Amino acid sequence: MSDGFTVRGVPRSIALDGWWLASDAMPETAKNDPPRRPPSTLGESIWNNGPLGLILLILLADFLLWGYKPAFALALFAWCIFGTVALGRGLSRGALKPAILLALATLPVLEYLQTLSVGILVIGLLSALVLLNGSGINRIDRFAASLLRLANAMPWTGPLALLTGLRNLQAHAPGRVLLEDGNLRAALRNWAFPVGGACVLSALLIGANPVIEQSLQQLLAFDLDLVEAMRRALFWGGTGLLLWPLLTVSPNPEPLAFAAPKWGPALGLNAGSVLRALLVFNLFLGVQSVLDFSILLGGAALPDGMSYATYAHRGAYPLLVTAMLAGAFALAARPFLTSHHAIKPLLLIWLLQNVLLTLSAVLRLDLYIAEFGLTYLRIHALIWMGLVAVGLILVGWQILRARSSLWLVVCSASLGFGTLYVCAFINFAALIATHTLERSATHRTDWSYFCALGPTANRAVARKLGDLPALSLPSGVKTCLRTHDPITNWREWDFRTLRTAS
């Protein structure tokens, strides 16, 4: 009990329960704090401090992930992390929404193991843990702040906790305690004879008993791969350091500030320069759009010696960069919208023209694909062009409807993440292989690129060859496509591998 109130002869359990009797002697901050609630469940009491759950997850990671190319096992491990955190929080309610979110994030990995699907799973797991830890978070800015805090804590919290633990262990090492207490010499005197005598007695017994000797030889006769053991130890340590923040870090309730960036003044812009720039830029872009669409859609003649493929290749990517810079300029010009009545309509026209510019880039890239074929890079460029066009439309809508910067950030992030999520379920290798076979009879084909598409294209190739029986492939092309190694372990199972291998 505190110095302010002491009752002699009262049992300790009752004295501890009488904390409220000493409230006047407590600090002001302690008066308002209720006593700590004991763990409500057995699971909460076991996992409350994290080490036991961490050890079990490390062992589970070794069982599920080490030595495999895990797909199903990776999804299962994410759910084990989620379950460990939920059990540690003692949550019986409020876990439905995080569980649904994690289920959606798990589907891409179950479809096919790739960098994109693993990234979606990691983001989905962190988001589910944020919702689980702070079920009262109902604002997007608070959720984003908690998610960023957890992601930022993952690389550093584990190593810092390890260093702190090592320092504490060193400070309370048994040898140091013995030296400080002056008991080291006494301990050596007390244990020297028993330990030495036990060693001599063990040697005599082993020499006299061949059964014990043979058993020890068999026990100690193991082949230790030191490099493999070190790699496994590093895997355990790295897994533990990454998992520790997920079990211990609590969400940050502070919201993020999504203030409109003051790019305009920072770039030296003012109302007059923005107005004149919009007039000049719209004029230049109008001329460019008229010329482009007259060639792409109207059949206007190209300069001498230039083919449509060269024309498409020279313009597709520069026009995309121009449209992206146009979006940045539109954001920089936002602070001056009310400075002159003509700035807002001119800015909307500027954004509309850049959407048309992006459409022109798409048409040019389509011409180039028709001439030289489809590749991963060209597919990615088409997707990115579509995202830029929709992003410019969002900027225009934000300006037209006076939406907040937070609205633009949420819409842009949702658009980007939603596109990546859909792409995780698309077999782009099969699309490229099908397109290549369709145009191989009339166009020059890069068969080396075709052969490098990998085993996920095999089934599409077989189906297309069945639809085009007259198609003759060069010798060796049919055998160059790599086949899937058979899935011999349930940890490596995913839908796309099973579909394309059958």
Side-chain angles (χ1 to χ4, degrees), residues 335-410:
F336 309 102
L337 288 176
T338 58
S339 301
H340 193 281
H341 67 277
I343 290 181
K344 185 173 182 178
L346 285 174
L347 189 57
L348 293 174
I349 294 173
W350 166 251
L351 290 171
L352 178 60
Q353 287 209 80
N354 277 279
V355 172
L356 296 177
L357 190 71
T358 307
L359 178 60
S360 174
V362 171
L363 293 176
R364 289 198 188 204
L365 186 57
D366 182 65
L367 288 175
Y368 192 71
I369 291 173
E371 182 66 26
F372 294 101
L374 197 60
T375 64
Y376 279 111
L377 179 60
R378 291 157 199 168
I379 289 177
H380 297 163
L382 285 172
I383 295 173
W384 182 245
M385 290 175 182
L387 288 175
V388 170
V390 177
L392 291 173
I393 294 174
L394 288 177
V395 174
W397 186 258
Q398 181 203 20
I399 294 172
L400 185 62
R401 307 296 294 179
R403 299 287 187 179
S404 65
S405 297
L406 177 60
W407 178 88
L408 181 61
V409 170
V410 171

Side-chain angles (χ1 to χ4, degrees), residues 110-112 424-427 455-456 458-460 463 484 487 493-502:
L110 296 179
E111 165 62 20
Y112 186 60
F425 295 92
I426 300 176
N427 189 348
T456 55
N458 288 346
R459 192 168 185 179
R463 186 185 301 112
H484 273 299
I487 299 178
W493 174 87
D494 64 66
F495 280 112
R496 187 177 302 176
T497 302
L498 293 177
R499 289 198 308 267
T500 55
S502 60

Side-chain angles (χ1 to χ4, degrees), residues 477-495:
V477 170
K478 288 186 177 181
T479 59
C480 73
L481 287 175
R482 294 180 287 111
T483 58
H484 273 299
D485 295 330
I487 299 178
T488 58
N489 194 285
W490 58 270
R491 297 171 179 84
E492 301 180 348
W493 174 87
D494 64 66
F495 280 112

Side-chain angles (χ1 to χ4, degrees), residues 72 99 118 159 212 230 266 288 334 374 383 410 419 451 479 490:
F72 178 78
V118 173
I212 297 178
M230 292 178 61
Q288 166 67 29
R334 280 193 60 204
L374 197 60
I383 295 173
V410 171
T419 302
C451 290
T479 59
W490 58 270

Side-chain angles (χ1 to χ4, degrees), residues 169-253:
L169 182 63
Q170 183 181 6
H172 300 86
R176 175 169 295 188
V177 174
L178 288 174
L179 288 174
E180 291 175 353
D181 296 340
N183 295 327
L184 179 59
R185 185 174 300 175
L188 290 176
R189 185 173 60 251
N190 293 334
W191 282 99
F193 180 77
V195 172
C199 292
V200 174
L201 184 60
S202 299
L204 293 174
L205 291 176
I206 291 173
N209 194 326
V211 177
I212 297 178
E213 183 179 10
Q214 185 179 5
S215 299
L216 287 177
Q217 289 177 352
Q218 294 176 352
L219 180 63
L220 298 177
F222 59 89
D223 186 14
L224 177 62
D225 188 343
L226 186 58
V227 175
E228 183 70 12
M230 292 178 61
R231 290 177 55 201
R232 202 154 194 167
L234 289 174
F235 173 76
W236 291 350
T239 301
L241 294 178
L242 287 176
L243 291 178
W244 180 253
L246 304 182
L247 304 179
T248 58
V249 174
S250 59
N252 181 12

